[in-house]
Amino acid sequence: MVPVLQGEENIRSVIQNTSIEDLALISANAYLDGIERTPQLGNDPYAHERLRRSLVTVKEDFDFCFIDTPPSLGWLTQSAFFAAHYSVICVIPEAYSVIALRRLKEFHESIKQYHNIDVFGVILSFWDERGAVNKAFLGEINSSFPHKLFNLKVRRDMTVSRAVLKGQPVIETDESSRASQDYRALTEEFLSRFLKESTANHLNQLVSKSQTKVTV
């Protein structure tokens, strides 16, 4: 992705097919860290728009585009927010992760002053039903992003670590594992929620058009 953001390559040239049919990816590397300080981007006051402009050129080729951001609220995350219609927030049930949601909410609201982006949902991973402070974690999440938490929680599973080390999707590492089952169920919930969201938006647009007054 580095040469695309630096204006040296077209985004189509870095899209790679994967072992899963109809799933493609654009890989990242360590050179993304601090890329905003390179001359190509540092001299461009609208550098944070480069990712959005690149993705627009391929938006008709894919049903969904997921942008995985680093665990910080720096330039790369800002660029991703400006390129996206929705954000999907991933959180683990640990104190610092949940507390960081408050800062993320502020960041989200600051972006919305310039770009229309909504929180699509919050996903909990590394979940342990026996956690002593689960109730407090869930309360904090609902306080920051009310009614956005997905019902499906991805349970803690060593299969995820093995999949990362092998460079494979978890469903290919062990299709019968807890994590594979959870991610499949999460996908179904995601698609169901997306369909409802799209239908609601379409109906709202129709209502808005029907109420439009025209003067001549």
Side-chain angles (χ1 to χ4, degrees), residues 40-60:
Q40 296 96 323
L41 279 74
N43 296 326
D44 181 1
Y46 300 101
H48 58 272
E49 289 283 343
R50 291 192 177 199
L51 178 59
R52 182 188 64 81
R53 292 197 298 264
S54 294
L55 290 173
V56 164
T57 65
V58 295
K59 69 176 184 179
E60 300 299 329

Side-chain angles (χ1 to χ4, degrees), residues 18-57:
T18 69
S19 60
I20 298 178
E21 186 178 3
D22 295 327
L23 176 65
L25 61 80
I26 299 175
S27 61
N29 56 41
Y31 292 107
L32 274 173
D33 186 27
I35 190 175
E36 69 276 14
R37 295 189 293 274
T38 59
Q40 296 96 323
L41 279 74
N43 296 326
D44 181 1
Y46 300 101
H48 58 272
E49 289 283 343
R50 291 192 177 199
L51 178 59
R52 182 188 64 81
R53 292 197 298 264
S54 294
L55 290 173
V56 164
T57 65

Side-chain angles (χ1 to χ4, degrees), residues 1 4-5 10-12 15 26 48-65 67 79-85 115:
M1 196 62 191
V4 175
L5 293 176
N10 183 284
I11 192 169
R12 292 185 186 276
I15 296 176
I26 299 175
H48 58 272
E49 289 283 343
R50 291 192 177 199
L51 178 59
R52 182 188 64 81
R53 292 197 298 264
S54 294
L55 290 173
V56 164
T57 65
V58 295
K59 69 176 184 179
E60 300 299 329
D61 299 343
F62 301 94
D63 295 312
F64 296 98
C65 174
I67 309 170
S79 295
F81 270 49
F82 275 109
H85 296 99
H115 172 66

Side-chain angles (χ1 to χ4, degrees), residues 32-194:
L32 274 173
D33 186 27
I35 190 175
E36 69 276 14
R37 295 189 293 274
T38 59
Q40 296 96 323
L41 279 74
N43 296 326
D44 181 1
Y46 300 101
H48 58 272
E49 289 283 343
R50 291 192 177 199
L51 178 59
R52 182 188 64 81
R53 292 197 298 264
S54 294
L55 290 173
V56 164
T57 65
V58 295
K59 69 176 184 179
E60 300 299 329
D61 299 343
F62 301 94
D63 295 312
F64 296 98
C65 174
F66 295 93
I67 309 170
D68 188 20
T69 62
S72 68
L73 300 179
W75 184 86
L76 288 171
T77 301
Q78 183 186 66
S79 295
F81 270 49
F82 275 109
H85 296 99
Y86 298 98
S87 64
V88 178
I89 300 169
C90 302
V91 62
I92 60 177
E94 295 181 359
Y96 288 113
S97 176
V98 177
I99 291 173
L101 286 175
R102 303 170 191 171
R103 177 70 184 95
L104 181 57
K105 182 179 181 180
E106 296 173 0
F107 184 80
H108 210 282
E109 293 301 318
S110 68
I111 294 293
K112 287 193 70 172
Q113 297 180 43
Y114 308 98
H115 172 66
N116 187 29
I117 181 172
D118 294 318
V119 176
F120 186 77
V122 179
I123 298 173
L124 253 175
S125 60
F126 289 90
W127 180 252
D128 183 353
E129 291 287 353
R130 300 168 297 178
V133 291
N134 284 349
K135 186 175 181 179
F137 286 138
L138 295 177
E140 184 65 38
I141 292 171
N142 284 316
S143 175
S144 297
F145 299 100
H147 313 298
K148 294 295 184 179
L149 184 64
F150 279 88
N151 293 321
L152 193 287
K153 303 173 182 62
V154 181
R155 292 167 289 179
R156 184 181 293 274
D157 189 345
M158 288 301 298
T159 305
V160 175
S161 298
R162 292 200 299 270
V164 172
L165 292 174
K166 291 183 177 181
Q168 293 180 329
V170 68
I171 58 174
E172 289 189 353
T173 302
D174 185 351
E175 189 174 2
S176 63
S177 66
R178 290 186 304 179
S180 295
Q181 296 171 19
D182 290 348
Y183 278 116
R184 286 183 183 277
L186 177 62
T187 300
E188 293 176 0
E189 184 179 354
F190 176 93
L191 293 174
S192 176
R193 183 179 293 195
F194 182 82

